[in-house]
Structure formats: C-alpha cells, structure tokens
C-alpha cells in the first residue's frame, strides 16, 4: 500500500475507527482480509521510492522469480491437467454440466488442499459432503498428515 507523500500516512482518520465491522470501512476490510488469509502480509510505504527500498531488502538472499514458471503454475490448463490427469480427461460422463468444475474450485479453496492432493481426494470422495464426514485418520490418509488435519479442523470448526 503506497500513500501520497502530500497526505497523512494513514488509511483513515482515527475518529472513524469503531468497534464493529462495517462494509464501508477500509480498516474493517483489511481486518477481514488478514483474518481470512493469515499468511498475508501487508507492506506500508510512504512513497514509490520507499516501496522500492522495501522490495530490494525483501529480495536480498532470494533467487529471481522465474516469470514464465509462475505464469504456467497459475494457468487453469495446468490446474486442469493436475486434477484431470495427463490427457486432460477423467472417467466421468461426457456431458459435464459445470457442476464438477464448481466442486473442484470449492475443493481447492479448502484449507490444506492443493492441486496435488486434490486429485486423490476426488478419487476417494464423491462430494464435499462425503469429504466433510470423514474421520481424522481417513482425511490424513487421503490428503496427507498436515492437509488432513487442516481439513478435519475446518470441518469440525463450530465458530463460523
């Protein structure tokens, strides 16, 4: 987040801060964002020059990003290939109505699930509902020890 150097270094006036979440509050939005994505980190900079300094320090002792590889990882074709198999097809009926795509996308957004363990999960479970009732041991066996624990905790969480 960069700020205009001619303005105060703040998102909002301290008088506007409240104790409740409001849809029109940037503070509330950032709070919800960081709660939903706990690994997310925010960088604050007073100017583009300060932003450059921050990024140079962060990049120290790290390899340069391979842009082509990052783009390839982020494409839907790559994800479909990992989920569907080498030839891009699975063993389901030809008349796919899009419901499976929505279920796959939902599965990939569950904690601990990635493109690599999603295929095994889809082979073992017919639906998200059937996945949600699996025991801790079954989830660990299907998704791996860490991912299985994350799924188990997520499905048993009662404080939504």
């Amino acid at each position: 987040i960069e700020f205009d150097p001619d303005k105060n270094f703040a998102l909002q006036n301290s008088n506007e801060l409240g104790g409740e979440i409001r849809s029109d509050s940037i503070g509330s939005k950032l709070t919800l964002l960081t709660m939903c994505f706990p690994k997310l980190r925010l960088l604050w900079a007073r100017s583009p020059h300060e932003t450059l300094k921050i990024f140079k320090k962060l990049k120290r002792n790290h390899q340069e990003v391979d842009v082509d590889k990052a783009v390839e990882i982020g494409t839907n074709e790559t994800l479909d290939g990992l989920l569907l198999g080498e030839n891009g097809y699975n063993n389901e009926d030809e008349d796919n109505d899009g419901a499976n795509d929505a279920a796959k996308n939902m599965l990939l957004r569950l904690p601990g699930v990635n493109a690599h363990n999603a295929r095994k999960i889809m082979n073992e479970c017919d639906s998200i509902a059937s996945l949600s009732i699996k025991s801790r041991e079954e989830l660990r066996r299907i998704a791996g020890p860490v991912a299985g624990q994350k799924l188990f905790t997520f499905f048993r969480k009662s404080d939504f």
Side-chain angles (χ1 to χ4, degrees):
I1 301 172
E2 287 182 3
F3 290 90
D4 185 345
D6 298 330
K7 295 184 180 178
N8 287 338
F9 188 60
L11 284 175
Q12 64 189 61
N13 191 340
S14 60
N15 297 335
E16 296 174 2
L17 295 175
E20 54 191 50
I21 295 174
R22 296 187 340 239
S23 63
D24 63 338
S25 167
I26 189 72
S28 294
K29 290 177 183 179
L30 284 173
T31 301
L32 288 173
L33 188 64
T34 55
M35 287 173 61
C36 291
F37 301 97
K39 291 184 180 181
L40 175 69
R41 299 295 179 254
L42 302 175
L43 300 175
W44 300 80
R46 291 183 180 268
S47 68
H49 182 67
E50 291 296 320
T51 302
L52 180 63
K53 284 174 147 178
I54 292 170
F55 279 113
K56 280 185 175 182
K57 285 180 184 178
L58 288 172
K59 285 181 68 174
R60 220 178 278 157
N61 300 325
H62 292 282
Q63 293 180 1
E64 191 65 34
V65 174
D66 182 356
V67 176
D68 294 331
K69 185 175 180 180
V71 168
E72 182 182 335
I73 289 171
T75 61
N76 288 335
E77 293 83 19
T78 304
L79 190 57
D80 287 343
L82 285 168
L83 291 177
L84 297 174
E86 298 299 321
N87 60 3
Y89 296 100
N90 55 13
N91 296 331
E92 296 177 15
D93 295 328
E94 293 290 324
D95 57 337
N96 189 349
D97 61 359
N100 290 331
D101 291 336
K104 289 175 195 173
N105 288 333
M106 183 176 177
L107 175 66
L108 287 167
R109 280 157 181 75
L110 293 175
V113 178
N114 56 42
H116 300 289
N117 62 11
R119 186 188 304 170
K120 187 169 183 183
I121 292 170
M122 289 188 302
N123 288 336
E124 296 275 339
C125 303
D126 294 334
S127 66
I128 302 280
S130 68
L131 177 66
S132 71
I133 59 173
K134 298 269 186 217
S135 71
R136 182 187 322 256
E137 292 75 27
E138 288 175 305
L139 289 171
R140 285 181 169 175
R141 179 185 57 79
I142 295 168
V146 175
Q149 181 59 47
K150 286 181 180 181
L151 283 169
F152 182 81
T153 303
F154 175 77
F155 286 128
R156 303 308 185 278
K157 194 184 279 189
S158 61
D159 58 338
F160 286 112

